[in-house]
Amino acid sequence: MSELFSNAVTSIRLGIEDFETDDSDRMLSAARNYYAGLLLLAKECLIRAAPEAEPSQIIGARFKPIPNGDGGVEHVIEGYTTVDLSQLRSRFKDFGLTWPKTDIKKLQSYRNDLEHYHLKEPSSALSEAIASSFSMMVEFFGILGENPQELLDEVWETILEQKAAFDKIQADCLASWEAVQWKESVERLDLLACPECGSSLVAQLDRENTEHHEIMCKCFRCGNESNHEKSIEMVVEACFEVDAYLMAKEGMNSPINTCPSCGLDTYVETGDISFCYNCEESVSGTCARCGNGIDIHEYSPDHEELCSYCAYQWEKMRDE
């Protein structure tokens, strides 16, 4: 067993042991140890995928070019920083490895809060974030061809029990949304986040309701109930927050916008979709002056038939 893999197993075991106590202070330690163990497992997956290579050349985060004496350069590791979560995902793809589908963005966010500031959410949300990521850990062990039950024997039952409990409640919550009729398909509701505690265990209050404009929801972690306006904004955020993050990294506009008709943050503009998930109004059209397309970013509420630029020019000419 390599030192890195041994450290990964130890970190996960210590994290789960802290997790078992259900103590708020120990839960903070659980997040640090468990998250560190996950990243170490992922790094071990990369290293075993290229067994003849120097590990530092695989998991090093920064490299610099050095002249090789023959007119070319070679890239050598710079410093001791290793790859972070985002870089790991990218290198998994480069190495032909499948990155687990489990979303650990919340766990990553909570862990970063602990490292740099303080945890803003209650420890119960942290507990859920850890439990919901157990499947990622198991998938990493699968890639490595290792048996997690043997390696984590002392805490394995806790892992199974917590994962089963979380999966059962989450499946029940997701089922509560199935009857709702939407203009476009709604996905990623497992990313719903309670505004009070951050839990994803959010269900529709009236499970028989089919109307999207009547939805209200309840958190099964803290019991918080959200009215229709907040509920539908939560749905839109869950469905498109990943796209918003990726588009922001590319310097693009967010797909989630404030609807000029109902005023909720439920207008979605993706190129394929241009309408409000709440009131179903759409500003999509063609500018009567220049012929360019109008979307939510080019829409002028005072001149609905014009794009924002032509509306500006019209107002400028009128004021002269």
Side-chain angles (χ1 to χ4, degrees):
M1 182 184 295
S2 72
E3 183 177 357
L4 187 147
F5 184 55
S6 177
N7 288 341
V9 173
T10 298
S11 294
I12 290 173
R13 178 177 54 78
L14 291 174
I16 303 303
E17 287 176 353
D18 286 330
F19 177 87
E20 288 175 320
T21 67
D22 201 29
D23 177 84
S24 296
D25 292 336
R26 293 284 295 276
M27 198 62 68
L28 306 184
S29 176
R32 292 189 179 96
N33 282 319
Y34 178 74
Y35 184 78
L38 276 183
L39 296 193
L40 289 172
L41 275 185
K43 292 171 185 177
E44 181 72 8
C45 290
L46 291 175
I47 290 172
R48 293 196 190 183
E52 301 302 319
E54 173 64 33
S56 63
Q57 298 294 319
I58 298 174
I59 61 174
R62 291 195 290 266
F63 296 85
K64 60 181 179 181
I66 299 294
N68 62 10
D70 295 320
V73 298
E74 60 182 22
H75 289 82
V76 299
I77 189 74
E78 182 178 23
Y80 299 98
T81 304
T82 57
V83 286
D84 59 17
L85 181 64
S86 176
Q87 293 169 312
L88 280 169
R89 291 175 62 107
S90 177
R91 292 194 188 179
F92 259 58
K93 183 178 180 180
D94 295 337
F95 277 54
L97 299 176
T98 301
W99 185 263
K101 294 182 179 180
T102 307
D103 179 77
I104 61 166
K105 187 167 63 175
K106 286 183 180 178
L107 178 58
Q108 180 191 26
S109 176
Y110 296 160
R111 182 265 181 189
N112 289 342
D113 285 345
L114 292 173
E115 290 298 315
H116 304 295
Y117 306 100
H118 62 278
L119 186 64
K120 303 170 186 176
E121 288 77 10
S123 61
S124 59
L126 184 55
S127 172
E128 180 189 321
I130 294 173
S132 66
S133 68
F134 284 154
S135 58
M136 171 175 278
M137 174 194 65
V138 173
E139 287 189 58
F140 283 148
F141 276 115
I143 292 173
L144 294 168
E146 301 283 357
N147 187 338
Q149 183 177 7
E150 293 180 358
L151 293 163
L152 299 169
D153 180 59
E154 298 174 4
V155 294
W156 185 245
E157 285 303 315
T158 297
I159 292 172
L160 292 182
E161 290 171 4
Q162 292 294 327
K163 184 180 185 305
F166 173 80
D167 289 348
K168 181 179 180 180
I169 298 173
Q170 185 181 60
D172 186 56
C173 289
L174 291 174
S176 74
W177 297 96
E178 292 179 354
V180 181
Q181 301 296 311
W182 303 91
K183 184 175 180 178
E184 291 282 346
S185 63
V186 167
E187 301 175 345
R188 300 172 176 165
L189 293 186
D190 58 320
L191 299 182
L192 281 167
C194 170
E196 290 296 319
C197 72
S199 173
S200 65
L201 302 178
V202 178
Q204 188 182 194
L205 268 174
D206 179 6
R207 294 167 179 266
E208 303 300 320
N209 173 55
T210 61
E211 302 296 332
H212 75 275
H213 57 268
E214 294 182 4
I215 64 169
M216 292 188 292
C217 60
K218 176 181 179 179
C219 173
F220 275 73
R221 170 68 68 178
C222 70
N224 178 70
E225 295 185 5
S226 299
N227 61 20
H228 165 70
E229 288 77 9
K230 185 61 182 177
S231 295
I232 200 161
E233 286 182 336
M234 288 164 59
V235 168
V236 170
E237 183 177 3
C239 292
F240 296 97
E241 67 172 344
V242 174
D243 297 325
Y245 171 75
L246 295 175
M247 292 170 76
K249 287 186 65 176
E250 298 297 324
M252 303 169 65
N253 291 316
S254 171
I256 305 175
N257 303 270
T258 301
C259 176
S261 180
C262 69
L264 298 184
D265 294 331
T266 49
Y267 196 100
V268 176
E269 181 71 62
T270 65
D272 296 322
I273 296 174
S274 182
F275 75 96
C276 175
Y277 269 72
N278 178 49
C279 66
E280 297 191 346
E281 288 295 321
S282 176
V283 301
S284 179
T286 303
C287 178
R289 181 172 179 268
C290 69
N292 288 332
I294 297 176
D295 60 18
I296 190 64
H297 306 296
E298 288 296 322
Y299 175 71
S300 174
D302 296 325
H303 303 280
E304 297 183 0
E305 74 284 0
L306 301 176
C307 67
S308 60
Y309 176 77
C310 289
Y312 168 75
Q313 293 295 327
W314 174 263
E315 290 292 339
K316 185 177 178 181
M317 292 173 57
R318 191 183 67 176
D319 293 339
E320 289 178 348

